[in-house]
Amino acid sequence: SEGRTLIVTEAIDDAAPLVKALTEAKISTEVVSAEQLPRSLTELNGYDAILLVNEPSYHLSQQSQAELRQYVHESGGGRVM
């Protein structure tokens, strides 16, 4: 099946080449800000990978950081920074 990625960034222009490459590879891609990052592990598990593009950790709440750790370590999700 087609992969599904979530790109978290405030710098849309910085993420544009990545979005283009993923789209050309037929990988479904959604771009959100840190504030729009899914708040539950269940929602995060809907993605094969989450990519943080020039997104400092202080833009993410402690809860979001904990959910991302759990997504990678317990659910086996991919994370790229």
Coordinates of all heavy atoms in Angstrom, one line a residue:
S1 N 0.8 -1.2 0.0 CA 0.0 0.0 0.0 C 0.9 1.2 0.0 O 2.1 1.2 0.3 CB -0.9 0.0 1.2 OG -0.2 0.2 2.4
E2 N 0.3 2.3 -0.3 CA 1.0 3.6 -0.4 C 1.3 4.1 1.0 O 0.5 3.9 2.0 CB 0.0 4.6 -1.0 CG 0.6 6.0 -1.1 CD -0.4 7.0 -1.8 OE1 -0.6 6.9 -3.0 OE2 -0.9 7.8 -1.0
G3 N 2.5 4.6 1.2 CA 3.0 5.1 2.5 C 2.2 6.4 2.8 O 1.7 7.1 1.9
R4 N 2.3 6.8 4.1 CA 1.6 8.0 4.5 C 2.6 8.7 5.5 O 3.0 8.1 6.5 CB 0.3 7.7 5.2 CG -0.5 9.0 5.6 CD -1.9 8.6 6.0 NE -2.6 9.8 6.3 CZ -3.4 10.0 7.4 NH1 -3.5 9.0 8.2 NH2 -4.0 11.1 7.6
T5 N 3.0 10.0 5.1 CA 3.9 10.7 6.0 C 3.2 12.0 6.5 O 2.4 12.5 5.9 CB 5.2 11.1 5.2 OG1 4.9 11.9 4.1 CG2 5.9 9.8 4.8
L6 N 3.8 12.4 7.6 CA 3.3 13.7 8.2 C 4.6 14.6 8.4 O 5.6 14.1 9.0 CB 2.7 13.5 9.6 CG 2.3 14.7 10.3 CD1 1.1 15.4 9.6 CD2 1.8 14.4 11.7
I7 N 4.6 15.7 7.8 CA 5.7 16.7 7.9 C 5.3 17.8 8.9 O 4.2 18.4 8.7 CB 6.1 17.3 6.5 CG1 6.6 16.2 5.6 CG2 7.1 18.4 6.7 CD1 6.9 16.6 4.2
V8 N 6.1 18.0 9.9 CA 5.8 19.0 10.9 C 6.8 20.1 10.7 O 8.0 19.9 10.8 CB 5.9 18.5 12.3 CG1 5.5 19.5 13.3 CG2 5.0 17.2 12.5
T9 N 6.3 21.3 10.4 CA 7.2 22.4 10.1 C 6.4 23.8 10.2 O 5.2 23.8 9.9 CB 7.9 22.3 8.7 OG1 8.9 23.3 8.6 CG2 6.9 22.4 7.6
E10 N 7.2 24.8 10.5 CA 6.7 26.2 10.4 C 7.2 26.8 9.1 O 6.8 27.8 8.7 CB 7.1 27.0 11.6 CG 6.7 26.4 13.0 CD 5.2 26.4 13.2 OE1 4.5 27.2 12.7 OE2 4.8 25.4 13.8
A11 N 8.3 26.1 8.6 CA 9.0 26.6 7.4 C 8.6 25.9 6.1 O 9.2 25.0 5.7 CB 10.5 26.5 7.6
I12 N 7.4 26.3 5.6 CA 6.8 25.6 4.5 C 7.8 25.5 3.3 O 7.9 24.5 2.6 CB 5.5 26.2 4.1 CG1 4.5 26.2 5.2 CG2 4.9 25.6 2.8 CD1 4.1 24.9 5.7
D13 N 8.5 26.7 3.1 CA 9.4 26.7 1.9 C 10.6 25.7 2.1 O 11.0 25.1 1.1 CB 10.0 28.1 1.8 CG 9.0 29.1 1.3 OD1 8.0 28.7 0.8 OD2 9.2 30.4 1.5
D14 N 11.0 25.5 3.3 CA 12.1 24.6 3.6 C 11.7 23.1 3.3 O 12.4 22.3 2.9 CB 12.6 24.6 5.0 CG 13.4 25.9 5.3 OD1 13.7 26.7 4.4 OD2 13.6 26.2 6.5
A15 N 10.4 22.9 3.5 CA 9.9 21.5 3.4 C 9.4 21.2 1.9 O 9.2 20.1 1.6 CB 8.7 21.3 4.3
A16 N 9.3 22.3 1.1 CA 8.8 22.1 -0.2 C 9.5 21.0 -1.1 O 8.8 20.2 -1.7 CB 8.7 23.4 -1.0
P17 N 10.8 21.0 -1.1 CA 11.5 20.0 -1.9 C 11.2 18.6 -1.4 O 11.1 17.6 -2.2 CB 13.0 20.3 -1.8 CG 13.0 21.8 -1.4 CD 11.8 22.0 -0.6
L18 N 11.1 18.4 -0.1 CA 10.8 17.1 0.5 C 9.4 16.7 0.1 O 9.1 15.5 -0.3 CB 10.9 17.2 2.0 CG 10.7 15.9 2.8 CD1 11.6 14.8 2.3 CD2 10.9 16.1 4.2
V19 N 8.4 17.6 0.2 CA 7.0 17.3 -0.2 C 7.0 16.9 -1.6 O 6.3 16.0 -2.0 CB 6.1 18.6 0.1 CG1 4.7 18.3 -0.5 CG2 6.0 18.8 1.6
K20 N 7.7 17.6 -2.5 CA 7.7 17.3 -3.9 C 8.2 15.9 -4.2 O 7.6 15.2 -4.9 CB 8.5 18.4 -4.7 CG 8.6 18.2 -6.1 CD 9.4 19.2 -6.9 CE 9.3 19.0 -8.4 NZ 10.5 18.9 -9.0
A21 N 9.4 15.6 -3.5 CA 10.0 14.3 -3.7 C 9.0 13.2 -3.2 O 8.9 12.1 -3.9 CB 11.3 14.2 -3.0
L22 N 8.4 13.3 -2.1 CA 7.5 12.3 -1.6 C 6.3 12.2 -2.5 O 5.8 11.0 -2.7 CB 7.1 12.7 -0.1 CG 8.2 12.5 0.9 CD1 7.8 13.2 2.2 CD2 8.6 11.1 1.1
T23 N 5.8 13.3 -2.9 CA 4.6 13.2 -3.8 C 4.9 12.5 -5.1 O 4.1 11.7 -5.6 CB 4.1 14.7 -4.1 OG1 3.8 15.3 -2.8 CG2 2.8 14.7 -5.0
E24 N 6.1 12.9 -5.7 CA 6.5 12.2 -6.9 C 6.7 10.7 -6.7 O 6.5 9.9 -7.7 CB 7.8 12.8 -7.5 CG 7.6 14.2 -8.0 CD 8.8 14.9 -8.4 OE1 9.9 14.4 -8.2 OE2 8.7 16.0 -9.0
A25 N 7.1 10.3 -5.5 CA 7.2 8.9 -5.2 C 5.9 8.2 -4.8 O 5.9 7.1 -4.4 CB 8.2 8.7 -4.1
K26 N 4.8 9.0 -5.0 CA 3.5 8.5 -4.7 C 3.3 8.1 -3.2 O 2.6 7.2 -2.9 CB 3.1 7.3 -5.6 CG 3.2 7.7 -7.1 CD 2.2 7.0 -7.9 CE 2.3 7.2 -9.4 NZ 2.5 8.5 -9.8
I27 N 3.9 8.9 -2.3 CA 3.8 8.8 -0.9 C 2.9 9.9 -0.4 O 3.2 11.1 -0.6 CB 5.1 8.8 -0.2 CG1 6.0 7.6 -0.7 CG2 5.0 8.8 1.3 CD1 7.4 7.6 -0.2
S28 N 1.8 9.6 0.2 CA 0.8 10.6 0.7 C 1.5 11.4 1.7 O 2.1 10.9 2.7 CB -0.4 9.8 1.2 OG -1.3 10.8 1.8
T29 N 1.4 12.7 1.6 CA 2.1 13.6 2.5 C 1.2 14.7 3.0 O 0.5 15.3 2.2 CB 3.3 14.3 1.8 OG1 4.2 13.2 1.3 CG2 4.1 15.1 2.7
E30 N 1.2 14.9 4.3 CA 0.4 16.0 4.9 C 1.4 16.9 5.7 O 2.3 16.4 6.3 CB -0.6 15.4 5.9 CG -1.5 16.4 6.6 CD -2.5 15.7 7.5 OE1 -2.7 14.5 7.4 OE2 -3.0 16.4 8.3
V31 N 1.2 18.2 5.6 CA 2.1 19.2 6.2 C 1.3 19.9 7.3 O 0.2 20.4 7.0 CB 2.7 20.2 5.2 CG1 3.6 21.2 5.9 CG2 3.5 19.5 4.1
V32 N 1.8 19.9 8.5 CA 1.1 20.6 9.6 C 2.2 21.4 10.4 O 3.4 21.2 10.4 CB 0.4 19.6 10.5 CG1 -0.7 18.9 9.8 CG2 1.3 18.7 11.2
S33 N 1.7 22.3 11.2 CA 2.5 23.1 12.2 C 2.6 22.2 13.4 O 1.8 21.3 13.6 CB 1.9 24.4 12.5 OG 0.7 24.3 13.2
A34 N 3.5 22.6 14.3 CA 3.6 21.9 15.6 C 2.3 21.9 16.4 O 1.9 21.0 17.1 CB 4.7 22.5 16.5
E35 N 1.6 23.0 16.3 CA 0.3 23.2 17.0 C -0.8 22.2 16.4 O -1.7 21.9 17.1 CB -0.2 24.6 16.9 CG 0.6 25.5 17.8 CD 0.9 26.9 17.0 OE1 0.4 27.1 15.9 OE2 1.6 27.7 17.6
Q36 N -0.6 21.8 15.2 CA -1.6 20.9 14.5 C -1.2 19.5 14.6 O -2.0 18.6 14.1 CB -1.7 21.3 13.0 CG -2.3 22.7 12.8 CD -2.1 23.1 11.4 OE1 -1.1 22.9 10.8 NE2 -3.2 23.7 10.8
L37 N -0.1 19.2 15.2 CA 0.4 17.8 15.4 C -0.7 17.0 16.1 O -1.2 17.4 17.1 CB 1.7 17.8 16.2 CG 2.4 16.4 16.4 CD1 2.9 15.9 15.0 CD2 3.5 16.6 17.3
P38 N -1.0 15.8 15.6 CA -2.0 15.0 16.3 C -1.6 14.8 17.7 O -0.4 14.6 18.1 CB -1.9 13.6 15.5 CG -1.5 14.0 14.1 CD -0.5 15.2 14.4
R39 N -2.6 14.8 18.6 CA -2.4 14.8 20.1 C -2.4 13.4 20.7 O -2.1 13.2 21.9 CB -3.4 15.7 20.8 CG -3.3 17.1 20.3 CD -2.1 17.8 20.9 NE -2.1 19.2 20.5 CZ -1.0 19.8 20.0 NH1 0.1 19.2 19.8 NH2 -1.1 21.0 19.6
S40 N -2.8 12.4 19.9 CA -2.8 11.0 20.5 C -2.0 10.0 19.7 O -1.7 10.2 18.5 CB -4.3 10.6 20.5 OG -4.7 10.2 19.2
L41 N -1.6 9.0 20.4 CA -0.8 7.9 19.8 C -1.6 7.3 18.7 O -1.1 6.9 17.6 CB -0.3 6.9 20.8 CG 0.5 5.8 20.3 CD1 1.8 6.3 19.7 CD2 0.9 4.9 21.5
T42 N -2.9 7.1 18.9 CA -3.8 6.5 17.9 C -3.7 7.3 16.6 O -3.6 6.7 15.5 CB -5.2 6.4 18.4 OG1 -5.2 5.7 19.6 CG2 -6.1 5.8 17.4
E43 N -3.8 8.6 16.7 CA -3.7 9.5 15.5 C -2.3 9.4 14.8 O -2.2 9.3 13.6 CB -4.0 10.9 15.8 CG -5.5 11.1 16.2 CD -5.7 12.6 16.6 OE1 -5.2 12.9 17.7 OE2 -6.4 13.3 15.9
L44 N -1.3 9.4 15.6 CA 0.1 9.3 15.1 C 0.3 8.0 14.4 O 1.0 7.9 13.4 CB 1.1 9.5 16.2 CG 1.2 10.9 16.9 CD1 2.2 10.8 18.0 CD2 1.6 11.9 15.8
N45 N -0.3 6.9 14.9 CA -0.1 5.6 14.3 C -0.7 5.5 12.9 O -0.5 4.6 12.2 CB -0.7 4.5 15.2 CG 0.2 4.2 16.3 OD1 1.4 4.3 16.2 ND2 -0.3 3.8 17.4
G46 N -1.5 6.5 12.5 CA -2.0 6.6 11.1 C -1.0 6.9 10.1 O -1.3 6.9 8.9
Y47 N 0.2 7.3 10.5 CA 1.3 7.7 9.6 C 2.4 6.6 9.7 O 2.7 6.1 10.7 CB 1.9 9.0 10.0 CG 0.9 10.1 9.9 CD1 0.1 10.5 11.0 CD2 0.6 10.7 8.7 CE1 -0.8 11.5 10.9 CE2 -0.4 11.7 8.6 CZ -1.1 12.1 9.7 OH -2.0 13.1 9.6
D48 N 3.1 6.4 8.5 CA 4.2 5.5 8.5 C 5.5 6.2 9.0 O 6.4 5.5 9.5 CB 4.4 5.0 7.1 CG 3.3 4.2 6.6 OD1 3.0 3.2 7.2 OD2 2.6 4.6 5.6
A49 N 5.5 7.5 8.8 CA 6.7 8.3 9.2 C 6.3 9.7 9.6 O 5.4 10.2 8.9 CB 7.8 8.3 8.2
I50 N 7.0 10.3 10.5 CA 6.8 11.7 10.9 C 8.1 12.4 10.7 O 9.1 11.9 11.2 CB 6.2 11.8 12.3 CG1 4.8 11.2 12.4 CG2 6.1 13.3 12.7 CD1 4.3 11.1 13.8
L51 N 8.1 13.5 10.0 CA 9.3 14.2 9.7 C 9.2 15.6 10.3 O 8.3 16.3 10.0 CB 9.5 14.3 8.1 CG 9.6 13.0 7.4 CD1 8.3 12.5 7.0 CD2 10.6 13.1 6.3
L52 N 10.2 16.0 11.1 CA 10.3 17.3 11.7 C 11.3 18.1 10.8 O 12.5 17.8 10.8 CB 10.7 17.2 13.1 CG 9.9 16.3 14.0 CD1 10.5 16.2 15.4 CD2 8.4 16.8 14.1
V53 N 10.8 19.1 10.1 CA 11.7 19.9 9.3 C 11.9 21.3 9.9 O 11.0 22.1 10.0 CB 11.0 20.1 7.9 CG1 11.9 21.0 7.0 CG2 10.8 18.8 7.2
N54 N 13.2 21.5 10.4 CA 13.6 22.7 11.1 C 12.6 23.1 12.2 O 12.2 24.3 12.3 CB 13.7 23.9 10.0 CG 14.8 23.6 9.1 OD1 15.8 22.9 9.4 ND2 14.7 24.2 7.9
E55 N 12.2 22.1 12.9 CA 11.2 22.3 14.0 C 11.9 22.1 15.3 O 12.2 21.0 15.7 CB 10.0 21.3 13.8 CG 8.8 21.7 14.6 CD 8.2 23.0 14.1 OE1 8.2 23.3 12.9 OE2 7.7 23.7 15.0
P56 N 12.1 23.2 16.1 CA 12.8 23.0 17.4 C 11.9 22.3 18.4 O 10.7 22.5 18.3 CB 13.1 24.4 17.8 CG 12.2 25.3 17.0 CD 11.8 24.6 15.8
S57 N 12.5 21.6 19.3 CA 11.7 20.9 20.3 C 10.8 21.8 21.2 O 9.7 21.4 21.6 CB 12.6 20.1 21.2 OG 13.4 20.9 22.0
Y58 N 11.2 23.0 21.4 CA 10.4 23.9 22.2 C 9.1 24.3 21.5 O 8.2 24.9 22.1 CB 11.2 25.1 22.7 CG 11.8 26.0 21.6 CD1 11.0 26.9 20.9 CD2 13.1 25.9 21.3 CE1 11.6 27.7 19.9 CE2 13.7 26.7 20.3 CZ 12.9 27.6 19.6 OH 13.5 28.4 18.7
H59 N 8.9 24.0 20.2 CA 7.6 24.2 19.6 C 6.6 23.1 19.9 O 5.5 23.3 19.6 CB 7.8 24.3 18.0 CG 8.3 25.6 17.6 ND1 8.5 25.9 16.2 CD2 8.7 26.8 18.2 CE1 9.0 27.1 16.1 NE2 9.1 27.7 17.3
L60 N 7.2 22.0 20.4 CA 6.3 20.9 20.7 C 6.0 20.9 22.2 O 6.9 21.0 23.0 CB 7.0 19.6 20.3 CG 7.3 19.4 18.8 CD1 8.2 18.2 18.6 CD2 6.1 19.4 18.0
S61 N 4.8 20.6 22.6 CA 4.5 20.5 24.0 C 5.1 19.2 24.6 O 5.6 18.3 23.9 CB 3.0 20.4 24.2 OG 2.5 19.1 23.7
Q62 N 5.3 19.2 25.9 CA 5.8 18.0 26.6 C 5.0 16.8 26.2 O 5.5 15.7 26.0 CB 5.9 18.2 28.1 CG 6.8 19.3 28.5 CD 8.3 18.9 28.2 OE1 8.7 17.7 28.4 NE2 9.1 19.8 27.8
Q63 N 3.7 16.9 26.1 CA 2.8 15.8 25.8 C 3.1 15.3 24.4 O 3.2 14.1 24.1 CB 1.3 16.2 25.9 CG 0.3 15.1 25.6 CD 0.4 13.9 26.5 OE1 0.7 14.1 27.7 NE2 0.2 12.7 25.9
S64 N 3.2 16.3 23.4 CA 3.5 15.9 22.0 C 4.9 15.2 21.9 O 5.0 14.2 21.2 CB 3.6 17.1 21.1 OG 2.3 17.6 21.0
Q65 N 5.9 15.6 22.7 CA 7.2 15.0 22.7 C 7.1 13.6 23.2 O 7.7 12.6 22.7 CB 8.2 15.8 23.5 CG 8.6 17.1 22.8 CD 9.5 17.9 23.6 OE1 10.5 17.4 24.2 NE2 9.3 19.2 23.7
A66 N 6.3 13.4 24.3 CA 6.1 12.1 24.9 C 5.4 11.1 23.9 O 5.7 10.0 23.8 CB 5.3 12.2 26.2
E67 N 4.4 11.7 23.2 CA 3.6 10.9 22.2 C 4.5 10.4 21.1 O 4.5 9.3 20.6 CB 2.4 11.6 21.7 CG 1.3 11.9 22.7 CD 0.6 10.6 23.2 OE1 0.7 9.6 22.5 OE2 -0.1 10.7 24.2
L68 N 5.4 11.4 20.6 CA 6.3 11.0 19.5 C 7.3 9.9 20.0 O 7.6 9.0 19.2 CB 7.1 12.3 19.1 CG 6.3 13.2 18.1 CD1 7.1 14.5 17.9 CD2 6.0 12.5 16.8
R69 N 7.8 10.0 21.2 CA 8.7 9.0 21.7 C 8.0 7.6 21.7 O 8.6 6.6 21.3 CB 9.2 9.3 23.1 CG 10.4 10.2 23.2 CD 11.0 10.3 24.5 NE 10.1 10.9 25.5 CZ 9.9 12.2 25.7 NH1 10.6 13.1 24.9 NH2 9.1 12.7 26.6
Q70 N 6.8 7.6 22.2 CA 6.0 6.4 22.3 C 5.7 5.9 20.9 O 5.8 4.7 20.6 CB 4.7 6.7 23.0 CG 4.0 5.4 23.4 CD 2.8 5.7 24.3 OE1 2.3 6.8 24.4 NE2 2.2 4.7 24.8
Y71 N 5.4 6.8 19.9 CA 5.2 6.4 18.5 C 6.4 5.6 18.0 O 6.2 4.6 17.3 CB 4.9 7.7 17.7 CG 4.9 7.5 16.2 CD1 3.8 6.9 15.6 CD2 6.0 8.0 15.5 CE1 3.8 6.8 14.2 CE2 6.0 7.9 14.1 CZ 4.9 7.3 13.5 OH 4.9 7.2 12.1
V72 N 7.6 6.1 18.2 CA 8.8 5.5 17.7 C 9.1 4.2 18.5 O 9.3 3.2 17.9 CB 10.0 6.5 17.7 CG1 11.3 5.8 17.4 CG2 9.7 7.6 16.8
H73 N 9.2 4.3 19.8 CA 9.7 3.2 20.6 C 8.7 2.1 20.8 O 9.2 0.9 20.9 CB 10.2 3.8 22.0 CG 11.4 4.6 21.8 ND1 12.7 4.2 21.6 CD2 11.5 6.0 21.9 CE1 13.5 5.2 21.5 NE2 12.8 6.3 21.7
E74 N 7.5 2.4 20.9 CA 6.5 1.3 21.2 C 5.7 0.9 20.0 O 5.3 -0.3 19.9 CB 5.6 1.8 22.3 CG 6.3 1.9 23.7 CD 5.4 2.4 24.8 OE1 4.2 2.3 24.7 OE2 6.0 3.0 25.7
S75 N 5.5 1.8 19.1 CA 4.7 1.5 17.9 C 5.5 1.2 16.7 O 5.0 0.7 15.7 CB 3.7 2.6 17.6 OG 2.8 2.8 18.7
G76 N 6.8 1.5 16.7 CA 7.7 1.3 15.6 C 7.5 2.3 14.5 O 8.0 2.0 13.3
G77 N 7.0 3.4 14.7 CA 6.8 4.5 13.7 C 8.2 5.1 13.4 O 9.1 5.0 14.2
G78 N 8.3 5.6 12.2 CA 9.5 6.3 11.8 C 9.5 7.8 12.1 O 8.5 8.4 11.9
R79 N 10.7 8.3 12.5 CA 10.8 9.7 12.8 C 12.1 10.2 12.2 O 13.1 9.6 12.4 CB 10.7 10.0 14.3 CG 10.8 11.5 14.5 CD 10.7 11.9 16.0 NE 12.0 11.4 16.6 CZ 12.3 11.5 17.9 NH1 11.3 11.9 18.7 NH2 13.4 11.1 18.4
V80 N 12.0 11.3 11.4 CA 13.2 11.9 10.8 C 13.2 13.4 11.3 O 12.2 14.0 11.3 CB 13.1 11.9 9.3 CG1 14.3 12.5 8.6 CG2 12.9 10.4 8.8
M81 N 14.4 13.8 11.7 CA 14.6 15.2 12.1 C 15.6 15.8 11.2 O 16.6 15.3 10.8 CB 15.0 15.2 13.6 CG 14.0 14.6 14.5 SD 14.5 14.4 16.2 CE 15.1 16.0 16.6

